[in-house]
Amino acid sequence: MIGNGFPYGRTGYVILEEGEINPSTLQLDVRHYLVVRPNGEQVSGSFSFPEAQQFIREEESKGK
């Protein structure tokens, strides 16, 4: 299940939470994060939050 999205960087990237609903708390247990490019395309793979931030910084520094 996808949770909250967090805009990150200068060019429109978004970091999305992905996980499962905990039946005891009814809250999302985040397992990892996904990165979505400004054009809406999802980047292959999953990341920790700091890894997702670093990926976006690197992509933006390349001009992508």
Side-chain angles (χ1 to χ4, degrees):
M1 166 173 259
I2 301 294
N4 293 316
F6 304 96
Y8 190 81
R10 303 175 315 275
T11 58
Y13 281 85
V14 177
I15 300 172
L16 297 174
E17 299 172 328
E18 186 172 51
E20 302 295 328
I21 296 292
N22 181 322
S24 300
T25 64
L26 299 179
Q27 294 183 355
L28 181 67
D29 287 341
V30 177
R31 302 272 189 245
H32 51 259
Y33 296 86
L34 306 173
V35 174
V36 178
R37 289 190 166 94
N39 67 2
E41 175 186 320
Q42 182 180 322
V43 173
S44 179
S46 58
F47 305 84
S48 68
F49 197 81
E51 290 170 342
Q53 292 173 313
Q54 181 64 32
F55 176 85
I56 293 168
R57 285 192 297 271
E58 289 172 3
E59 290 295 295
E60 288 184 332
S61 72
K62 296 178 198 173
K64 292 186 177 182

